[in-house]
Amino acid sequence: FIVATMMGVFPEDEGLVFQCTLALLLRYSLVDLYRPKFAKLGVVVWQFDKIVEGFLPKVHSALVKHGVNSEYYAIQWFMTLYASDLPQSVVRRIWDRFLIAGWRIVVQVGLALLCTVQDSL
């Protein structure tokens, strides 16, 4: 999903797609999420679950009541930086902010998405 998004941004230049993807993976430690046994991913998802519990207790309680923890939705969000779940125009805006402010943006977007469904839980 990450490479596909990069290809949408730079459709004429595969070399640039490769270089940008590599930079994204290395500079922002995204590569650590893909390492064997996904240890870093587990930590990040656990942290996000605690952040949801702190900032959106109603959402957290509803999800726990139904046996859903952040592993069910946040893994895909974090591994693809939302490219698998949101329209490309939105993903590109998120990535613009991510490149400037880092992982904080990924967490804020996740909280915003959960906040939008808060009343329906």
Side-chain angles (χ1 to χ4, degrees):
F1 289 100
I2 290 173
V3 173
T5 300
M6 286 293 183
M7 289 177 77
V9 174
F10 306 111
E12 306 284 325
D13 193 342
E14 291 178 10
L16 188 56
V17 168
F18 175 78
Q19 292 298 322
C20 288
T21 302
L22 186 61
L24 187 64
L25 289 169
L26 298 177
R27 286 188 190 153
Y28 296 92
S29 302
L30 190 60
V31 69
D32 292 336
L33 299 183
Y34 296 96
R35 297 212 185 270
K37 298 185 183 178
F38 302 100
K40 176 74 173 186
L41 182 61
V43 170
V44 170
V45 169
W46 178 83
Q47 290 172 330
F48 184 71
D49 198 47
K50 295 302 175 187
I51 290 169
V52 171
E53 184 178 9
F55 284 93
L56 300 170
K58 181 180 174 185
V59 171
H60 186 266
S61 296
L63 293 174
V64 168
K65 177 181 164 187
H66 294 290
V68 176
N69 65 28
S70 55
E71 289 177 4
Y72 290 100
Y73 53 88
I75 286 177
Q76 190 164 318
W77 289 351
F78 295 152
M79 289 187 77
T80 67
L81 297 176
Y82 299 100
S84 62
D85 297 294
L86 297 175
Q88 285 298 302
S89 60
V90 175
V91 170
R92 290 177 188 180
R93 286 179 157 191
I94 292 169
W95 285 22
D96 282 346
R97 286 167 178 76
F98 173 72
L99 293 173
I100 294 168
W103 284 98
R104 174 174 59 116
I105 298 305
V106 176
V107 171
Q108 289 173 347
V109 170
L111 288 174
L113 290 172
L114 292 174
C115 190
T116 62
V117 299
Q118 182 170 245
D119 294 331
S120 64
L121 294 177

